[in-house]
Amino acid sequence: MADITMKAAPRRIAVVTGARADYGLLRGILTRLQKMDDVDLSVIACGMHLVPRFGETWRIIETDGFPIAAKIDLELDDDRAATVARGTGIAVSGFADVLPKLAPDLLVVLGDRYEILAAAVAATLLNIPIAHIHGGEVTAGAFDDAIRHAITKMACLHFVAAEPYRRRVIQMGENPDFVFNVGAPGLDMASTAPVLSRAELFAQLGITGPERFLLVTLHPTTAQPEADAANAAALLGALVEIEDRSFVFTGVNADPGYRAIDDAIRAFVASRPDRAHLFTSLGSERYWAALRLADAVVGNSSSGILEAPAVGVPSINIGDRQLGRLRAASIIDCPADSAAILAALENIFAGRFHPDPSLVPPYGLGGASERIAGTLQKIDLRQAFPKHFHDLEAPLSGPDPVS
């Protein structure tokens, strides 16, 4: 007799990416999900990926072998707060059109940006379960902080990067059985990205200048927009005093107020074409190669907090944008003051800054992508969704993610 056993339909998982930064963190998860026979993967690109000024980085996604199922343009024509607010509404409408067509069993989002909030709002209203990565963190210097916590309350699965963040998500009323401390997925690239020499990296980037270099990224401080000009002036005022290093800048985020920072950096780069270079996107592999080789990471990007410590590179974190995040010993916090930033850099250059190499970074040692993908593949969504508020009288315990 013929075997008429019905094979279960693949789990339809849609993953949203809005910028080069979150795509770099999601790439390892996407790779694993794409290889699973019982997963039907869809990638939705939106936000900065579609804006020419930021490099139209949706092309990188497709070059990496991930077909884009849908693109949602937020119409980000300028950097005014009203444009971002309006773009968020446009994104909600766009996701409301796209998600019913894709009909995912689960929507995966990462982080805390406004386009990710739009995806979560649409999915919530369409009764689609949400898995959220990097919840529970605090960044008091950006409005992302409020967005991140709002997404947590809409999600039913949570993948956090450290135990204090797991406890915070549970504190917000989430079921401990569905809050998984997996570490930071961005760290997975530390062991898989190609290792290049400085000469090889510079040849790939098409730049010349001193081989010793700084990797620099500065984003708007959206909760304190008045701080942006001071942060940019302090950073560039310190760099102008350094004559024996190259500067590799990566592009600014499409947050309110980005143009003033971007214009200042472009002017700085244009005045020093032999040593300063700006890239809207290096791509994940070249970014990690640059990260390993840099004398230091300078600015206010989360990469200086999460990824740089994983490869032992010191970070100079400027201002309050990352205020509240767990810190590794390799991070130097500086106010928006050129003298303080320059002094920190000189300590690094002279070898006077000696973080303890035996200290384990707070965001784990890799493997998060595999743990996240395995859980997304196998977890019983009927147990997680619809969800119920979890009161803190219950013990803070829960299972390991599915391996």
Side-chain angles (χ1 to χ4, degrees), residues 35-335:
K35 293 178 180 178
M36 294 174 176
D37 293 336
D38 54 352
V39 169
D40 182 1
L41 175 65
S42 298
V43 177
I44 304 171
C46 62
M48 288 174 63
H49 281 307
L50 309 183
V51 180
R53 185 183 181 100
F54 299 106
E56 293 186 307
T57 47
W58 63 268
R59 300 179 190 278
I60 296 174
I61 301 172
E62 294 199 331
T63 299
D64 285 344
F66 304 112
I68 296 175
K71 299 174 187 173
I72 300 174
D73 187 356
L74 277 63
E75 301 180 18
L76 300 174
D77 300 325
D78 56 52
D79 68 340
R80 295 181 301 124
T83 300
V84 170
R86 188 177 301 108
T88 303
I90 292 170
V92 173
S93 179
F95 281 106
D97 290 336
V98 164
L99 290 176
K101 297 173 184 175
L102 297 178
D105 300 310
L106 182 64
L107 183 74
V108 180
V109 298
L110 183 148
D112 44 36
R113 290 183 55 78
Y114 49 85
E115 64 269 26
I116 304 304
L117 174 65
V121 168
T124 297
L125 296 175
L126 292 167
N127 214 34
I128 297 170
I130 300 169
H132 183 212
I133 303 168
H134 270 299
E137 301 175 18
V138 170
T139 49
F143 58 39
D144 300 353
D145 197 57
I147 291 174
R148 184 185 311 109
H149 301 324
I151 296 171
T152 289
K153 293 310 302 175
M154 289 184 271
C156 65
L157 300 178
H158 308 273
F159 299 99
V160 302
E163 186 58 27
Y165 300 152
R166 179 176 178 270
R167 296 181 66 87
R168 188 174 287 138
V169 168
I170 295 169
Q171 180 184 344
M172 294 171 67
E174 299 304 298
N175 188 335
D177 290 345
F178 304 108
V179 186
F180 306 104
N181 177 12
V182 296
L187 302 187
D188 295 348
M189 287 290 291
S191 59
T192 60
V195 177
L196 303 176
S197 68
R198 285 188 176 90
E200 289 171 331
L201 176 65
F202 275 31
Q204 286 193 17
L205 297 179
I207 62 179
T208 57
E211 282 199 350
R212 304 294 294 272
F213 70 94
L214 300 174
L215 187 57
V216 188
T217 308
L218 192 70
H219 297 309
T221 306
T222 51
Q224 302 169 327
E226 68 281 358
D228 290 340
N231 287 343
L235 169 61
L236 299 177
L239 297 185
V240 77
E241 300 296 327
I242 299 171
E243 298 181 351
D244 60 349
R245 297 303 196 272
S246 292
F247 309 118
V248 176
F249 288 86
T250 62
V252 63
N253 273 347
D255 291 324
Y258 76 81
R259 284 188 184 270
I261 296 174
D262 191 46
D263 289 346
I265 290 172
R266 289 178 184 274
F268 180 90
V269 169
S271 67
R272 294 162 182 82
D274 57 330
R275 294 194 298 118
H277 312 275
L278 173 62
F279 300 89
T280 54
S281 176
L282 289 173
S284 296
E285 293 186 350
R286 290 193 304 191
Y287 183 82
W288 273 98
L291 189 62
R292 289 195 192 98
L293 294 168
D295 285 351
V297 174
V298 188
N300 62 6
S301 169
S302 61
S303 180
I305 305 293
L306 276 75
E307 281 88 48
V311 291
V313 174
S315 305
I316 296 178
N317 178 63
I318 300 169
D320 292 338
R321 188 172 188 269
Q322 302 297 334
L323 184 65
R325 273 206 165 112
L326 296 176
R327 295 289 200 272
S330 58
I331 297 168
I332 303 173
D333 287 304
C334 281

Side-chain angles (χ1 to χ4, degrees), residues 19-40:
R20 69 174 194 275
D22 69 13
Y23 172 66
L25 307 182
L26 289 165
R27 186 180 175 195
I29 300 167
L30 293 172
T31 298
R32 288 161 176 81
L33 291 175
Q34 189 179 56
K35 293 178 180 178
M36 294 174 176
D37 293 336
D38 54 352
V39 169
D40 182 1

